[in-house]
Amino acid sequence: MSHSSSLALSQFKNQVGIKFQLYNSLFTSLPFHRIEKTGIMLSLLLTNCEEGYRRKLSPVQILDDFFQRHTAYQKEQEQIDLLFRFVQYVERQVVLFDALEDAAFTSVNDMSGSGTLKHLESEVIQQRIDDALAQKLSDFGIRLVLTAHPTQFYPGSVLGIINDLSRSVKENNVNQINMYLQQLGKTAFFKKQKPTPYDEAISLIWYLENVFYNACGKIISFLKNQFPNGSEDGKPVIRMGFWPGGDRDGNPFVTAEITRKVADALRGAALKCYYMDVRKLRRRLTFEGVENELHELETKLYDNLFIPGHEVDISSQEILQTLRQIREVVIYKHNSLFVGMVDGLINRVEVFGMYFATLDIRQDSSIHQRIMDIFAEAGELPAGYAEMDEKGKIHVLGSLSGPLKQKPADPMAAETMASIEAVKYIQQFNGVEGCNRYIISQCNSALNVMEVLALFILGGWKKADINIDIVPLFETIDDLIKASEVMKSLYEDATYMAHLKKRGSVQTIMLGFSDGTKDGGYLMANWSIYKAKVELTQISKTYGIDVIFFDGRGGPPARGGGKTHKFYSSLGQKIANREIQLTIQGQTVSSNFGTVDAAQFNIEQLLHAGVSNDLFSEKNVTLTGEQESLINDLAIESLDVYNELKNHPYFLEYLSHVSPLRFYAETNIGSRPAKRGSGGRLSLKELRAIPFVGAWSQLKQNLTGYYGVGSAFKKMDQDGRWHEVEMLYKESPFFKTLMDNCEMAMKKCFFPLTAYISDHPVYGEIWNKIHDEFELTSSYIFKLSGKNELMADYPVEQLSVTMRERIVLPLTTIQQYAINKVRVMDEQLVQGPLKGVYEKLAMRCSFGIINAGRNSA
C-alpha cells in the first residue's frame, strides 16, 4: 500500500469509523417507540446474523432463533412491529454514515492530488505544454446531465438533513448533531405518494443551486486564472443538462405543460442565484461608478423573480454586459478591489445563462413511428406512406416543407406536437441553450432520426431554423453493432447532412450502458460500446462530422458507473474526445456530487481525464489489434454464458420471487413506471434496467457486474491464452478499469444471505449457477491481480463497502425473511392481511439497502 493510500485509510478510520461508533450511541435518544431497547436488540440481531450465516442458517432460521432467544414476543404481529422498528433504526444509521463520509471527504481525498486541476497545472508546467493545453481547452468540455431515474431512495427532506449533519460533524458541534439526529428520527423516509415529474425536477434543482453553481464556478475561475489562453472564445468548459420534465420515455406523467413549468423553474433558480450574488456584490462594491449599476441590476432581477405575472425582460447577455462594465470600472478606477467576486459571477452567468441546465427532450422511437402512421392515416403524409420501405419513408420525411394542416385528434400525437411547441417557448425565455436536444430512445434505424426531424417541420419549424441536435440513443447489443451503419445512412442523406451543417457539422450520439448490460452482460456491453465508439468515430470523420459521445451511465458498474473518470482517461486516440457527456442519475447525484467539495473533486477528475487522454497519453491507441481480438473473444464467451442464464425458463421468475423486484414500483421514489408498456406479464425487454440491476444488488448477488467474466477467463486459460490475459491486465488501463469495477460489484455480494435457495426445487439451479460463476470469477481475478481480497487496490473504498454492508446486514436478512414469507404464502395460496404486511416490510427494507450501497441502482 502506498504512503498516500495508507494516510487516507488512517483518516477514514479516524473520521468515519471511530466517529460512527461514537455518534451511533446518540441514537438511543432518538424519538422512536422504545428506542433504547430497539438499539440494543438490533446489535444482538447483527451478532445473530453474523453467527447464523457462519453456521449456514437461512434468514428465517436466524430471525426465528433471534425471537426465541432474545424476545418474549409470541404473536407474529409483535415480531413484525419490532422488525419495522429495526428498519427505521438502520435507515438512520446509514444516513449518519453518509454524513460522516461527506464530512471527511477533503481529508480522505487529496484535493490537490492526482486527477485534480492543481495536479494538471503542475503537469503542464513540468512538460511545458501550455499552448497544447490552451488548444485543448478551447475545444473541449464536459456536460453533466442530471436525470430523474428512480435510484434516489432518500426524500429531499432527508438529503437536507445529511447536508446539515455533515457540516455539523465537520465543526464537531455535538449539540447540533444531536438535534439533527432527533430531527431524523421524526422525518419520514417513505413517500406515501409517487413524486410528480415536477417534484423530481425541484429536488434536482436544489443541487444546481446549492452544489453545482458553486463547484462549477470555482473550477471555471481556477481555469481562467491559471490557464487564461484556454478560455478566450468564451465557450464554457462545463455545461449542465437536465432530464426531469423533458424525459418522456416510458413516463406518461411528463407532459408539455410540465416541460414548460420545469423550464420556468430552472430559469427562476438561476436568476435567484444571480440575485443573491448581486446582493453580496452590493455590500462590497460601494464605489462611485458601479453602485447605481448594481442596484439597477438587482432591481431587474428582483422584478423577474418575485413580481407575479412579470414578463421576462432580462437576458444573460444583458447581465454579462452590466457585469463586464462594472469590472472595467473596478479595475481602472478602484485598484481591482473585489474584482474576483465580479469575475466569479461573470463565470457563473457564462456557464448557466438563463437556463441553468439544458432541458433535454427524450422519447422512445416506437412512439414516433406510431405518430407518423397516425399522420399518414389523417392525410398529413403522402398516400401509401405506411406501406413504404425505410428508404421511401426517409425520402418522404426529408421532402416535407410545411406544418400540419390541422391539429391532431389523437391524444398521443397532440401531446407530442405540444412538446415540440414547448421547445420554442423555452428557447424564447431561457435562450436557445435552454432546450436544443431531442434524444431518441431505442433508436435502431436512420428512419427513427428522420422521424424526429419531420416532427419539427410538421410542428411549424422551417428547415433552416431547426436549431435542435437530434441525438440517437443506441442501447441493445444489436443496436450498438448496427450504429455505424445507421449513422452512415444519415450522413449520406442530403436533408440530414444539410441539417448537420447548420449545427456546425457536429453530431451527438448517446450510448446506453444500462440496457446494454441487461441485454448482453457486463463484458459484452462494455466491449460493444467501446467498439461502437471506434466505428462511429471513423465513419463520422470520413464524412467530415465531429462526433460527440453522450454516455448514459448509472451508479453501479453494471450501469456504466464505478471508476468513470478512469475509463475516459484510457480511451486513447481512436475514440473522439471532443467532449465528455454523461448522465448523473438519482443516487449518484447525492453520493458523488452531494457537497461542493465532492462535486468539485469529481468534476475535476473528469476534466483531467479528458484533457490527459489527449495531452499525456503515451499510446496513440487504447488497444492493439491483438488486445482487441482477445477482449472480443472474452466478450463473446461471456455473452454465451450470460445468455444461457438469461434464457433459463425460470430466470425472470427467480428474480420476481427471490428478489424485491415486484415491490420496486411501490417504493414511490420516481414518477416513472418500473417497466415499459402496460401489459400484465413481465418480460425482460419491457423491464427497466434500473429495477433489474437494483433487484440483483438487494439480493447481494450483483450478477450484472461480473456474470460471464469467470467463464471467459476459464476458456482463455484452457486454450493456453492466460498469459495474454495477464499482459492485457498489466498493459491496458481500459481493461484494468473494467476489472476494478467488476471487483466493486463483487465486493457488495453476500451469497450466504440466499444460500437457503440452493436446494429449492425450482430456483436452486439458478442460484447455484450464479454462485458458481461468482466463485469462478473471484478465483480468476485473484489470479490476475495477485491479491487475495477484492478491491485491494482501493483500501478506503474497500473499508467503506465493508462497513456499509455490515450496517445493513440485518436489513437484508429481514428483507429475505419477508420475501420468503410472501413466497410460501403464494405457494400455499394463502391470502390475508399479514401477506400485505410482509410485502410492505420487504419493500421498506429497500431504502436502507440501496442507500447504503451508494451506487447500487
Side-chain angles (χ1 to χ4, degrees), residues 310-328:
H310 184 90
E311 186 155 336
V312 178
D313 63 352
I314 193 169
S315 67
S316 57
Q317 290 78 11
E318 181 183 344
I319 298 170
L320 286 170
Q321 185 180 350
T322 303
L323 290 172
R324 286 168 182 155
Q325 288 172 353
I326 289 169
R327 184 179 187 274
E328 293 295 305

Side-chain angles (χ1 to χ4, degrees), residues 6 64 119 242 286 291 319 329 340 354 371 388 428 450 467 490 571 573 603 620 663 668 671 704 764 794:
S6 179
D64 284 347
H119 180 236
F242 206 76
T286 52
E291 193 174 15
I319 298 170
V329 174
M354 289 285 286
I371 288 169
M388 293 179 185
Q428 179 185 349
M450 294 302 290
N467 51 7
L490 287 167
L571 291 180
Q573 308 300 313
I603 293 171
N620 287 328
F663 311 122
N668 290 338
S671 65
T704 47
Y794 303 95

Side-chain angles (χ1 to χ4, degrees), residues 423-438:
V423 173
K424 269 192 175 177
Y425 168 88
I426 296 167
Q427 290 192 353
Q428 179 185 349
F429 294 107
N430 292 18
V432 172
E433 282 286 325
C435 187
N436 62 355
R437 307 204 311 175
Y438 197 114

Side-chain angles (χ1 to χ4, degrees), residues 51 75 108 174 195 248 258 449 527 593 617 621 656 717 804:
E51 290 178 355
K75 294 180 181 176
V108 172
V174 178
R248 287 162 169 68
I258 288 287
V449 175
W527 179 235
F593 301 90
S617 180
V621 294
S656 294
D717 198 7
R804 287 173 174 276

Side-chain angles (χ1 to χ4, degrees), residues 239-263:
R239 284 178 292 180
M240 299 300 298
F242 206 76
W243 275 17
D247 182 8
R248 287 162 169 68
D249 178 17
N251 193 339
F253 307 110
V254 177
T255 63
E257 183 185 354
I258 288 287
T259 302
R260 291 177 182 231
K261 194 176 174 185
V262 169

Side-chain angles (χ1 to χ4, degrees), residues 95-96 98-99 102 152-169 176-177 179-181 183-184 187-189 191 202-204 206-207 210-211 590 594-595 854:
V95 168
L96 174 61
D98 284 348
D102 288 347
Q152 179 51 269
F153 279 71
Y154 284 135
S157 53
V158 175
L159 287 169
I161 295 171
I162 292 175
N163 190 279
D164 297 337
L165 187 56
S166 173
R167 189 173 63 248
S168 295
V169 168
Q176 273 197 330
I177 291 168
M179 286 173 63
Y180 290 142
L181 290 177
Q183 181 189 359
L184 198 61
T187 303
F189 276 53
K191 301 171 185 173
I202 295 303
S203 294
L204 284 179
W206 184 92
Y207 287 99
N210 293 281
V211 177
S590 58
T595 65
R854 282 219 139 175

